[in-house]
Amino acid sequence: MSESSPAPATRRARVRAPELTGKGGWLNTGGNQYTLADLRGRIVILDFWTFCCINCLHVLDELRELEAKHRDTVVIIGVHSPKFVHEAEHQAVVDAVERYGVEHPVLDDPELATWKQYAVRAWPTLVVIDPEGYVVAQHAGEGHAHALAKLVEELEAEHAAKGTLRRGDGPYVAPEPEPTTLRFPGKALLLPSGNFLVSDTTRQQLVELAADGESVVRRIGSGARGFADGAAEDAVFNEPQGLALLDDGAVVVADTVNHALRRFDPATGRITTLAGTGRQWMQGEATRGPAREVNLSSPWDVAWWRDRVWIAMAGVHQLWAYDPADGTVSVTAGTTNEGLVDGPGAEAWFAQPSGLAATPERLWLADSETSALRWVDPDGAVHTAVGTGLFDFGHRDGAAGQALLQHPLGVTALPDGSVAVSDTYNHALRRYDPATGEVTTLATDLREPSDAVLVGEEIVVVESARHRLTRLRLPEEAVRVEAVAHRTQRAATEVAPGALRLDVIFQAPAGQKLDTRYGPSTRLLVSATPPELLLDGEGAGTDLARDLELNPAVPEGVLHVSAMAASCDDDPANEYPACHVHQQDWGVPVRLADTGAERLPLVLAGLDA
């Protein structure tokens, strides 16, 4: 076959794609509104995402290369489908699209209308629509970029041969940049000089501000998106976040999208890499070893505690630590399962830990996806001060056992032993006092506060969505707010009590097969909240199908399902085939009903026949 000959058409199951609807309208299109008919002739990839979700942010980065390579045939559309109440606000979606450098159209769907039409069950989910308007594939979770790239090439060849492929410019229109000093800053640090160091996340830089918190002293980093060490003007970051001061005056930087820890020397301005390879950690890889040889996953914050740099590893729901004495990294707490489980570090579950603060006896932790404030004791055990799980959040003060936060990203130790919580999606600064067990509100009317720094009698808050540092006096009395409680907007799936068949659908991408060279290539982990919901079927196994038994005495709850599949290129002539890991965690709210479904299909990759 000559190089220019079209590839043979592939027979696929095809389902007509439902229309795209969203009450919030379209972003990144120059004000134009679109229907699927307007996109006929293009390969459309729908990315169902929400901006709180670290896995969704991973997928945004996975899609960048595909987006650039196939810009004349592929239209990626982000369908923003909120989990938290704050994420349903249109301006918050506008902010997030800029914050994370989204360079494709986004449909703001605050009521989950399109989510429901496509029967999506997880963030993130990718749906591929062919040039004739049919759904041809669905992928949940991360690690699908290679499969999508191959599918796009097949669809290009197939529809070019049929005459149904239309090439040209897509509907993306870049927004005008705003001339603010900071742009969606993430974290801040008080330097020994009295100046502030701020991670200017969206501009890929660190910025040193004078003691007034406004005047720029210098910028560190070229401002390009990438990964390179060097002098202050040459070094390159990728969405830096957390900052921690070391005893020698250097600063450790959580370089989040580079999956690395960097070292900034304020005296020389030089940037070097302490830990990470630039590649994202995946299941089965090393969890300890020489720091420059071990992959990390979206480190979001760092803190110096008990002679090590502790790392809030948001991408895998764990805490890690970097030991400067021997130059190693290792896991210190968390199983990689997403949820809220206390206990010994090796058994604890976290959900996107995003903020750290150290005191001599406690490492405080903002666990964002469970809207929780948690802490680690010197023995490594994990405790929860505020928060109940993945689906309950709000703004409620009072006794910690019933208090509510909404996706907090920062925590700051106060001199009296209490802590201030940057309660990001409530636009508030909250306080938890371990002595009384009470939660109060210190300040409201902030805009997505993501961190705070104590400066004498004042606290300086990183108002991320107002692009500034805001100085507040620590109030002697709390602000009174009306209590609000929320649950996630996702509708519960009605299932029958008793036997329930769980099917995780995985079809290896074309040209690949399951990698069974070293044993089973799939993994399935199932649990429930409350645990009593599951009478049978809990635990880990290698089969992607499982028979569960649901307790008729528990009317509703959440099934937690984690699936992984590894596939490799199917070429007998290649001794070292390229292999890929596909993985996803689902939290499926369920309600028991006699007329409910007896089968629960979850698509990891492919289509449910």
Side-chain angles (χ1 to χ4, degrees):
M1 183 182 293
S2 70
E3 190 170 312
S4 60
S5 301
T10 304
R11 292 183 63 84
R12 296 185 188 87
R14 299 203 306 172
V15 178
R16 177 63 73 179
E19 191 50 82
L20 306 177
T21 57
K23 190 175 180 180
W26 291 81
L27 306 176
N28 280 359
T29 62
N32 295 316
Q33 308 295 303
Y34 285 91
T35 66
L36 279 177
D38 299 324
L39 303 172
R40 196 62 51 81
R42 314 300 286 273
I43 300 163
V44 177
I45 300 176
L46 304 181
D47 175 17
F48 288 87
W49 71 299
T50 188
F51 64 78
C52 72
C53 160
I54 191 67
N55 311 91
C56 300
L57 304 186
H58 290 167
V59 167
L60 284 177
D61 291 305
E62 287 180 2
L63 292 175
R64 291 188 199 279
E65 184 178 346
L66 179 75
E67 199 165 27
K69 185 176 180 181
H70 298 275
R71 201 171 286 280
D72 66 333
T73 58
V74 172
V75 175
I76 296 175
I77 294 173
V79 182
H80 190 268
S81 313
K83 171 185 173 181
F84 290 98
V85 169
H86 169 59
E87 293 173 314
E89 296 177 18
H90 182 69
Q91 185 57 48
V93 181
V94 173
D95 288 345
V97 167
E98 181 188 350
R99 180 194 297 268
Y100 297 116
V102 180
E103 295 185 352
H104 50 249
V106 172
L107 177 63
D108 180 13
D109 182 20
E111 297 176 346
L112 303 179
T114 297
W115 167 288
K116 293 170 186 171
Q117 284 293 311
Y118 281 81
V120 174
R121 295 186 185 274
W123 298 279
T125 292
L126 298 164
V127 175
V128 182
I129 302 171
D130 73 10
E132 294 178 286
Y134 290 91
V135 174
V136 293
Q138 181 172 326
H139 301 268
E142 305 176 44
H144 302 293
H146 65 286
L148 288 173
K150 191 165 186 64
L151 177 57
V152 163
E153 289 174 358
E154 291 177 359
L155 290 171
E156 284 178 342
E158 177 183 336
H159 288 274
K162 291 173 68 175
T164 49
L165 184 70
R166 178 167 58 91
R167 294 180 181 271
D169 292 335
Y172 171 67
V173 177
E176 288 293 321
E178 296 286 341
T180 52
T181 300
L182 302 173
R183 205 70 194 159
F184 298 104
K187 305 287 185 182
L189 178 70
L190 184 65
L191 294 170
S193 64
N195 290 349
F196 295 95
L197 188 66
V198 183
S199 53
D200 197 13
T201 305
T202 298
R203 294 226 176 97
Q204 327 297 340
Q205 291 179 318
L206 309 180
V207 178
E208 185 176 345
L209 299 176
D212 63 7
E214 298 178 10
S215 306
V216 175
V217 175
R218 59 175 165 170
R219 291 183 177 273
I220 300 100
S222 70
R225 182 190 288 271
F227 190 5
D229 289 340
E233 63 272 17
D234 301 322
V236 186
F237 297 99
N238 201 341
E239 298 183 23
Q241 286 281 350
L243 307 166
L245 191 66
L246 300 179
D247 290 342
D248 63 2
V251 176
V252 178
V253 183
D255 194 6
T256 304
V257 179
N258 277 330
H259 312 295
L261 297 189
R262 315 290 291 280
R263 180 183 187 273
F264 166 57
D265 185 341
T268 65
R270 289 197 66 80
I271 301 294
T272 53
T273 298
L274 290 177
T277 64
R279 295 184 299 276
Q280 182 186 338
W281 185 93
M282 302 298 279
Q283 287 287 352
E285 295 182 347
T287 56
R288 63 172 55 246
R292 293 292 303 274
E293 299 174 15
V294 176
N295 295 339
L296 309 181
S297 183
S298 299
W300 205 275
D301 203 6
V302 281
W304 178 254
W305 191 57
R306 305 184 82 79
D307 300 322
R308 291 186 290 174
V309 176
W310 287 64
I311 309 163
M313 203 72 80
V316 284
H317 318 300
Q318 289 180 312
L319 298 180
W320 288 44
Y322 165 72
D323 188 343
D326 60 9
T328 60
V329 289
S330 60
V331 175
T332 52
T335 64
T336 76
N337 297 324
E338 184 178 14
L340 195 155
V341 176
D342 289 340
E347 300 172 12
W349 292 23
F350 300 101
Q352 217 167 295
S354 302
L356 297 174
T359 65
E361 295 303 316
R362 293 187 181 190
L363 180 72
W364 292 97
L365 159 71
D367 204 25
S368 61
E369 279 294 289
T370 51
S371 298
L373 173 66
R374 306 176 73 186
W375 53 281
V376 181
D377 67 27
D379 294 326
V382 179
H383 310 261
T384 297
V386 182
T388 58
L390 284 164
F391 300 99
D392 294 293
F393 53 90
H395 191 153
R396 186 162 63 201
D397 287 334
Q402 56 86 53
L404 294 172
L405 309 169
Q406 187 181 178
H407 197 81
L409 291 178
V411 58
T412 306
L414 301 179
D416 64 356
S418 67
V419 290
V421 179
S422 295
D423 194 6
T424 310
Y425 288 3
N426 279 328
H427 311 300
L429 192 67
R430 312 285 292 283
R431 177 177 179 263
Y432 168 69
D433 186 351
T436 64
E438 291 287 310
V439 175
T440 53
T441 297
L442 296 176
T444 57
D445 299 322
L446 302 168
R447 186 69 186 170
E448 292 194 20
S450 54
D451 196 19
V453 180
L454 194 65
V455 185
E457 296 294 313
E458 298 177 322
I459 192 163
V460 175
V461 180
V462 180
E463 268 199 282
S464 189
R466 284 201 178 110
H467 321 291
R468 70 187 188 191
L469 302 187
T470 298
R471 193 179 298 265
L472 305 171
R473 286 199 67 80
L474 280 172
E476 293 182 9
E477 293 187 9
V479 177
R480 294 190 65 84
V481 294
E482 197 68 36
V484 181
H486 300 291
R487 294 212 86 200
T488 181
Q489 296 184 57
R490 293 163 62 195
T493 299
E494 289 201 346
V495 293
L500 176 68
R501 176 70 170 181
L502 172 65
D503 283 324
V504 174
I505 292 99
F506 177 76
Q507 294 152 5
Q512 294 186 23
K513 64 179 181 179
L514 288 173
D515 177 19
T516 56
R517 291 171 298 164
Y518 308 108
S521 60
T522 55
R523 186 190 72 160
L524 180 65
L525 178 69
V526 180
S527 62
T529 303
E532 296 76 23
L533 174 64
L534 267 181
L535 293 176
D536 193 32
E538 184 181 10
T542 58
D543 193 344
L544 291 181
R546 190 175 300 179
D547 291 316
L548 310 180
E549 186 177 356
L550 304 185
N551 188 348
V554 180
E556 61 181 15
V558 179
L559 289 175
H560 303 284
V561 180
S562 178
M564 183 274 287
S567 62
C568 295
D569 293 344
D570 187 10
D571 181 0
N574 186 354
E575 187 178 354
Y576 302 104
C579 296
H580 310 273
V581 175
H582 318 253
Q583 60 187 54
Q584 172 62 11
D585 296 329
W586 291 268
V588 184
V590 295
R591 182 181 302 111
L592 272 58
D594 291 335
T595 57
E598 296 179 351
R599 175 176 177 265
L600 178 62
L602 300 175
V603 177
L604 179 60
L607 291 172
D608 181 20

